[in-house]
Amino acid sequence: MKKLFSLIMIVALLAVFVPVVSAAPPAQGQEYIVTAGDWLSKVADKYLGNPLAWPAVMQATNQKNMEDSSFAKINNADLIEPGWKLWIPSTEECEAFLAIYDPSKPELCFAKGPAGQLVVASWWTAGGEAEGLNGMFDIYASKYPDVEIVNATVAGGAGFVFRPVLKTRLIAGDPPDTFQLHAGLEVEGYDPETYLDPLDDIYASEGLEEIFPSDLLTLLEYKGHYWGVPVNIHRSNVLWYDKSIFADAGLTPPTNWDEFWAVADALKAQGVVPLAMGTSGGWEAPHVFEDVLAGTCGAEKYSGLWTGAVPWTDPCVTEALENFKKMLTYVNTDHPALSWDGGGHYLIDNKGAMMIMGDWTNGWFQAEGYTDYGWAPPPGTKGIFVGLSDSFSLPKEAPNRDNAIAWAKVCGSKEGQEAFNPKKGSICARTDCDPALFNEYLQSAMADWASDAIVASVVHGAAAIESWVTDFKDAIVLFVTSGDVAGTQAALQQACVDAEVCQ
Ligand code: GAL
């Protein structure tokens, strides 16, 4: 009986333990050489039994790289190359990492340098923007080699995807070390007095008030403080055109509305898309409209619309909506499926003749190797510079505060701006950059900035508080499909009332 009981116990115990015992033993840490056709989640699946464990492989490899440069440095999980040496963590290490991993914090996948990290958050992922940022990283890395730079991007032009993600991090007390912030009223949306540190001391120590133009300084000051160090000045109102298409058709870039319609008709008759657009991000059509507004109302009235001096019921707003509605009849029909740069391919591919977009397009064209382009102010905007600027901020709870302060100084410096702007396609925020470093377009932008009437871009955070920008953007996105001029004008007036600028 006793024997039988023991036998039953043994069988029962085996039933419980055999599956565990026969499962693969927990993996030990090991090297792995990437072969063609590998991707990180495939490697994670094969060695750790979980494709979602790829961040653990990325982090472990980056940590190894810090000690031994024969291991790869993985900056982008989607880009690993044959021959790279990875480190697969042990099952135990992997589980410990995954327990703390948060996908909204890309810095977790990177190693910590001897002097910590510098987590820079931006939406610069397109060609030109990404290269410009890397140029500034190179300067920082040469000065602070012990800091591990983490490029924490959230893709999506103009930052409409980025801002909600960033706000969540700020509110959670878990911010990056610094983040991209448009100069102007956009900062209001981040509640700077709660979440950011003023940068006035950096302005003083670096002499920035003496070197930035006064128009820009005015834009940067909010509630008596500076909350970001600007790296550039961008122009919203540029009409890019394909030189060969224009030359073949015997056309010259239009300077006013009548010429624009005539040129667009001639191009249409040739089977070319007159005006290329990509509107998938929801901000591109509003961007074009802000330029149409400036080109229809003129600089003074355009500015007055944002300060309350001119009501949105003004006839020039009606006219601007009519112009924009007509303009949309000349646009590629697939625009809702394309991003701003996707739309730009119409020019590169010689299928589209013109495009209205900010001058980051110049950086992007360069990155794409496209040189057959010319530029002109969009109709009615000769002598008007619709401006904006990108700056970097300092969150109160930046985990690597000293590194972030050093970054802000690089952002404001001559060498930082000279490394960044020629690639980014913007002009320096500083007034002492060497013009010889900049291409012909940017030299023309410098001259225009010095002589034109400067007005603030709304879509890129300069002219209005964020909630107003959103209302403006939504009204114009709706207008693209509805074409309802009166209804849209009423919505725009209401948006101004809601922003407490109009009565
Ligand atoms: C703007 C930003 C530019 C450029 C553009 C497209 O808002 O100021 O630097 O990145 O978006 O993403």
Side-chain angles (χ1 to χ4, degrees):
M1 185 63 190
K2 228 178 173 181
K3 267 190 178 162
L4 184 66
F5 180 73
S6 306
L7 200 66
I8 292 172
M9 282 305 285
I10 288 167
V11 171
L13 282 173
L14 278 178
V16 174
F17 285 113
V18 161
V20 176
V21 170
S22 68
Q28 296 303 305
Q30 59 186 302
E31 286 178 17
Y32 177 77
I33 305 294
V34 176
T35 58
D38 271 346
W39 59 93
L40 219 48
S41 52
K42 185 172 153 191
V43 174
D45 192 20
K46 186 161 173 206
Y47 288 91
L48 294 161
N50 178 4
L52 300 180
W54 64 263
V57 179
M58 181 166 169
Q59 191 279 336
T61 303
N62 282 339
Q63 195 59 52
K64 281 275 179 194
N65 165 273
M66 186 70 41
E67 299 136 24
D68 173 356
S69 61
S70 70
F71 283 92
K73 165 91 190 286
I74 308 176
N75 284 313
N76 180 340
D78 294 326
L79 299 177
I80 56 169
E81 287 179 19
W84 280 14
K85 187 157 89 176
L86 309 184
W87 180 255
I88 316 278
S90 69
T91 309
E92 203 184 327
E93 285 162 343
C94 173
E95 278 165 9
F97 176 80
L98 292 180
I100 56 131
Y101 178 61
D102 172 349
S104 72
K105 295 179 69 181
E107 60 267 35
L108 292 174
C109 293
F110 289 80
K112 285 200 168 64
Q117 294 182 328
L118 170 75
V119 183
V120 180
S122 81
W123 60 86
W124 287 332
T125 55
E129 345 186 288
E131 281 91 345
L133 187 56
N134 280 333
M136 215 149 51
F137 286 162
D138 289 346
I139 303 282
Y140 188 91
S142 67
K143 287 180 183 290
Y144 309 100
D146 287 346
V147 177
E148 177 72 2
I149 301 172
V150 179
N151 186 10
T153 52
V154 179
F160 284 94
V161 187
F162 173 89
R163 280 184 286 277
V165 174
L166 212 273
K167 273 186 200 167
T168 309
R169 290 194 64 170
L170 280 177
I171 292 167
D174 204 11
D177 295 311
T178 180
F179 67 92
Q180 183 185 352
L181 171 69
H182 281 131
L185 287 170
E186 180 173 294
V187 72
E188 181 265 359
Y190 288 114
D191 189 359
E193 284 160 315
T194 308
Y195 295 111
L196 306 183
D197 270 344
L199 301 176
D200 308 353
D201 289 351
I202 294 179
Y203 274 64
S205 71
E206 308 307 296
L208 299 182
E209 280 189 320
E210 287 74 56
I211 209 71
F212 293 150
S214 59
D215 279 327
L216 183 59
L217 288 166
T218 310
L219 195 62
L220 286 158
E221 198 177 323
Y222 178 74
K223 295 203 172 168
H225 297 289
Y226 299 116
W227 303 95
V229 173
V231 286
N232 65 358
I233 293 167
H234 263 309
R235 181 175 190 161
S236 148
N237 61 319
V238 188
L239 182 139
W240 308 96
Y241 64 94
D242 184 90
K243 279 197 200 159
S244 312
I245 293 181
F246 267 69
D248 293 350
L251 297 169
T252 49
T255 60
N256 58 36
W257 289 104
D258 286 342
E259 284 177 24
F260 183 83
W261 309 132
V263 163
D265 281 332
L267 291 162
K268 200 171 184 176
Q270 304 229 342
V272 175
V273 169
L275 186 69
M277 244 195 223
T279 59
S280 66
W283 60 274
E284 303 90 339
H287 173 114
V288 176
F289 182 66
E290 77 177 18
D291 298 334
V292 170
L293 200 56
T296 311
C297 295
E300 210 180 315
K301 273 193 158 181
Y302 170 89
S303 294
L305 290 168
W306 302 109
T307 59
V310 177
W312 284 80
T313 48
D314 192 280
C316 83
V317 177
T318 321
E319 207 187 317
L321 286 164
E322 296 288 4
N323 281 338
F324 188 48
K325 186 171 173 176
K326 188 165 174 189
M327 194 179 240
L328 289 167
T329 64
Y330 294 99
V331 167
N332 47 302
T333 50
D334 62 349
H335 66 85
L338 303 174
S339 56
W340 69 269
D341 42 335
H345 275 287
Y346 267 91
L347 269 69
I348 297 183
D349 299 342
N350 266 297
K351 291 188 199 148
M354 300 183 278
M355 163 167 162
I356 295 176
M357 187 38 69
D359 53 9
W360 41 91
T361 309
N362 162 58
W364 179 71
F365 281 158
Q366 286 185 145
E368 293 288 311
Y370 172 65
T371 52
D372 192 24
Y373 65 94
W375 55 90
T381 62
K382 188 167 170 46
I384 304 177
F385 191 114
V386 184
L388 61 125
S389 163
D390 296 298
S391 77
F392 281 90
S393 66
L394 178 61
K396 269 197 171 57
E397 304 204 37
N400 300 282
R401 191 183 163 76
D402 290 349
N403 297 347
I405 289 172
W407 169 251
K409 291 182 180 170
V410 169
C411 289
S413 71
K414 185 168 185 294
E415 60 176 333
Q417 299 208 356
E418 286 182 342
F420 174 74
N421 286 295
K423 291 184 182 137
K424 175 67 167 77
S426 37
I427 60 175
C428 288
R430 295 177 67 99
T431 45
D432 61 351
C433 284
D434 178 1
L437 297 170
F438 292 79
N439 70 12
E440 200 189 332
Y441 164 74
L442 289 170
Q443 292 187 2
S444 80
M446 286 175 203
D448 290 347
W449 168 264
S451 61
D452 282 4
I454 311 293
V455 301
S457 159
V458 58
V459 170
H460 303 280
I465 57 168
E466 199 187 359
S467 58
W468 192 2
V469 178
T470 305
D471 289 348
F472 171 86
K473 178 177 77 74
D474 291 350
I476 299 304
V477 167
L478 208 59
F479 179 71
V480 171
T481 42
S482 77
D484 175 2
V485 172
T488 304
Q489 188 163 4
L492 292 172
Q493 166 67 15
Q494 186 58 44
C496 182
V497 172
D498 292 347
E500 297 178 0
V501 171
C502 298
Q503 304 264 303

